[in-house]
Amino acid sequence: MTKKRLQPTKAELAILRVLWTQGPMSVRSVQTILDQSRPTGYTTVLKTMQIMADKGLVERDDTVRPQIYRARHSEDRTQKQLLTDLIQRVYGGSVKALVLHAIGTRKPSAEDLEAIEKLLDRFAGEKK
């Protein structure tokens, strides 16, 4: 049986971003950081992080007080998983459709275009 990957919600992604940038921390520390950009209650963050632990998105160290949470997977792995799911569900598996839609949404910066060119050159070099 294939194990279904659980997708993080918007609130869960906000918590994961804090853990990815700051490293393992307590619920209170996460709540303090989130509260700087948008008022967030401690119990809301606590419950969300408990759900995230149940879903396997974070790991909790119960051997210390306060308990310390850390992201179970890296930011890169999570982004790739979410993007793969998006490509399949929204674009029927077409990377081309995703890229054309993404570029057509707004004008890419010179830096974006340079990074895209380098990536395309790398792929072109692999096919030779």
Side-chain angles (χ1 to χ4, degrees):
M1 186 167 122
T2 305
K3 184 178 178 184
K4 184 178 188 277
R5 295 183 206 163
L6 297 173
Q7 303 295 331
T9 65
K10 184 177 178 181
E12 291 168 348
L13 275 172
I15 291 169
L16 285 171
R17 279 190 198 96
V18 170
L19 295 174
W20 288 324
T21 58
Q22 303 295 318
M25 55 184 22
S26 68
V27 173
R28 175 67 65 200
S29 296
V30 171
Q31 185 266 331
T32 299
I33 291 169
L34 291 174
D35 206 42
Q36 293 171 3
S37 60
R38 189 172 128 206
T40 310
Y42 174 82
T43 54
T44 300
V45 176
L46 172 63
K47 184 64 179 170
T48 302
M49 291 179 77
Q50 289 170 336
I51 291 168
M52 291 171 72
D54 291 341
K55 289 170 76 173
L57 297 172
V58 296
E59 294 176 341
R60 176 178 51 226
D61 182 353
D62 293 324
T63 64
V64 295
R65 293 285 184 240
Q67 297 168 333
I68 300 297
Y69 289 79
R70 71 173 190 82
R72 184 163 182 226
H73 302 291
S74 70
E75 182 176 16
D76 184 61
R77 179 177 173 182
T78 302
Q79 288 173 338
K80 284 179 181 173
Q81 175 190 332
L82 290 171
L83 186 57
T84 298
D85 181 61
L86 177 74
I87 292 167
Q88 288 302 318
R89 287 186 308 115
V90 178
Y91 295 98
S94 172
V95 173
K96 174 183 158 189
L98 168 75
V99 171
L100 292 174
H101 193 156
I103 291 175
T105 310
R106 64 180 176 163
K107 185 178 179 188
S109 68
E111 183 179 294
D112 290 340
L113 290 173
E114 184 179 331
I116 292 167
E117 269 186 66
K118 285 181 182 178
L119 184 62
L120 291 173
D121 288 345
R122 190 180 91 206
F123 285 127
E126 289 176 4
K127 289 184 179 182
K128 289 180 182 176

